[in-house]
Amino acid sequence: MNGEVVARAGFGDPVRGDARESIDRLRALGWRVALLSGDHPAVVRGTAQLLGIDLADATGGASPEDKLHRVEDARTRGTVVMVGDGVNDAAAIAAATVGVGVHGGAEASMSAADVYLARPGLGPLVELVKGSRRTMLVIRNNILFSIAYNVLGASLALLGMLDPLIAAVLMPMSSLSVVLASWRGHTFDAVVARPVAGPASSGVPRLEPAP
């Protein structure tokens, strides 16, 4: 008014309420979190500061090719999980060790993803990581148990200390023990992963609330 600005309005995307907590939990689990976006670098830096992400790990103005190259480079150093929701994320999602599509994402990103999070926010991503760790722990324990059981059984058989009939009974019991251990593992407490028709109707596993 009269040549002076008395009000102004702006548009922007607010950071999700669970984003900072989820990222902190991912770091506590040993993950290095980086922000890779096609948005203006200034916006990306501001978002990184809100989320507690090191500015060296925050890249703005990235094209789909830039994202792809960053993911491919990171894969040479270890496991990479790429989370995205846009068409420009599809190539990077496909190139990652595990590509994750999120709720409300574009069809192209859903088609490229290995896993689809059916609930909004980053909380389901933390559940996915923790559940995956528990799954791998169950698998490793089952493998160790099977190896130990078979080594013990073979050793006793070679020494003539194991009756063939008893061995024939114990072998399926070993398999049953592994199956029961897996069933009792409760690898995903909050969600279950099952193949359903996602937004892209591609059969991508979706993480949904457990019944």
Side-chain angles (χ1 to χ4, degrees):
M1 296 180 64
N2 298 325
E4 296 183 4
V5 177
V6 296
R8 63 182 178 183
F11 295 91
D13 295 320
V15 175
R16 290 187 180 274
D18 69 337
R20 178 61 185 263
E21 178 186 0
S22 298
I23 289 175
D24 289 342
R25 291 171 65 186
L26 289 172
R27 285 202 196 91
L29 291 171
W31 288 90
R32 176 182 175 183
V33 180
L35 182 58
L36 190 58
S37 174
D39 292 339
H40 192 280
V43 175
V44 174
R45 286 194 298 269
T47 303
Q49 291 176 332
L50 288 174
L51 299 176
I53 297 176
D54 193 319
L55 292 182
D57 292 326
T59 302
S63 66
E65 293 77 16
D66 293 334
K67 295 180 180 181
L68 174 61
H69 294 156
R70 286 288 299 273
V71 169
E72 290 176 336
D73 179 64
R75 283 202 64 175
T76 62
R77 300 188 295 274
T79 300
V80 178
V81 177
M82 174 67 186
V83 184
D85 65 350
V87 174
N88 56 354
D89 298 322
I93 289 175
T97 310
V98 178
V100 180
V102 299
H103 181 269
E107 182 173 337
S109 65
M110 297 299 101
S111 299
D114 301 299
V115 180
Y116 168 59
L117 305 180
R119 289 182 289 136
L122 293 180
L125 179 62
V126 179
E127 295 165 3
L128 171 64
V129 172
K130 295 176 71 174
S132 299
R133 284 195 170 190
R134 288 192 291 267
T135 300
M136 292 305 301
L137 179 61
V138 170
I139 292 173
R140 292 189 182 100
N141 288 341
N142 286 343
I143 291 175
L144 290 175
F145 172 78
S146 298
I147 292 175
Y149 180 91
N150 284 282
V151 169
L152 177 62
S155 300
L156 293 175
L158 289 173
L159 294 173
M161 301 173 62
L162 186 63
D163 185 270
L165 179 60
I166 297 177
V169 173
L170 291 179
M171 182 54 68
M173 290 182 62
S174 169
S175 301
L176 182 61
S177 299
V178 170
V179 172
L180 289 175
S182 302
W183 176 69
R184 290 176 55 85
H186 299 298
T187 52
F188 286 88
D189 292 332
V191 292
V192 292
R194 58 189 179 192
V196 297
S201 299
S202 57
V204 176
R206 293 173 59 179
L207 292 184
E208 297 182 326

